[in-house]
Amino acid sequence: MLLITLIFATVGFLSPAQRGNLITTMLLLFTFMGIFAGYTQSRLNKMFGNLHWKVNTLLTGLLIPGIAFSVFFIIDLCLELEGSSEAISFTTLLKLLFLWLGITLPLIYIGSL
């Protein structure tokens, strides 16, 4: 994901004049790479003979992104309580939550089938 984003930035698809394009591209790549995460997780489960593929698929989609989202939410909550202008609005957090739970998690399940 990082390599693809850097290649796009180097080639000139992501202009530094338009702020936010790089992070938007990385977020969308992370979202749609869920299908590859599910496929890789499924292949590893089959290779090692693990029978609990549904639990592992759920953990693939929830564990690391859940920790990252929780830390991000706590930091943003602290910024909001301090009255900082750098805090992200609640609707943006809901959109991120939808991207995670509504798009990435189903893509991980599709990839694991």
Side-chain angles (χ1 to χ4, degrees):
M1 180 183 78
L2 181 64
L3 183 65
I4 294 171
T5 306
L6 287 175
I7 289 171
F8 281 168
T10 304
V11 173
F13 291 133
L14 301 173
S15 173
Q18 297 172 343
R19 296 185 66 210
N21 280 351
L22 187 64
I23 198 72
T24 302
T25 303
M26 289 182 71
L27 183 64
L28 288 175
L29 279 173
F30 176 80
T31 300
F32 293 115
M33 294 271 183
I35 200 160
F36 299 114
Y39 176 76
T40 304
Q41 178 272 135
S42 173
R43 297 303 299 167
L44 286 173
N45 277 336
K46 288 177 185 176
M47 184 172 68
F48 290 117
N50 191 353
L51 300 176
H52 305 291
W53 68 273
K54 291 179 183 177
V55 174
N56 285 342
T57 302
L58 188 66
L59 287 175
T60 300
L62 292 177
L63 189 64
I64 300 299
I67 292 170
F69 185 80
S70 299
V71 168
F72 181 73
F73 180 75
I74 290 169
I75 290 172
D76 190 61
L77 185 65
C78 292
L79 286 173
E80 189 70 41
L81 290 175
E82 290 293 323
S84 174
S85 62
E86 296 293 321
I88 295 176
S89 67
F90 184 71
T91 56
T92 304
L93 287 175
L94 287 179
K95 290 175 187 175
L96 287 173
L97 195 64
F98 171 73
L99 277 174
W100 174 34
L101 296 176
I103 297 175
T104 303
L105 201 59
L107 282 177
I108 290 173
Y109 270 102
I110 289 170
S112 69
L113 297 177

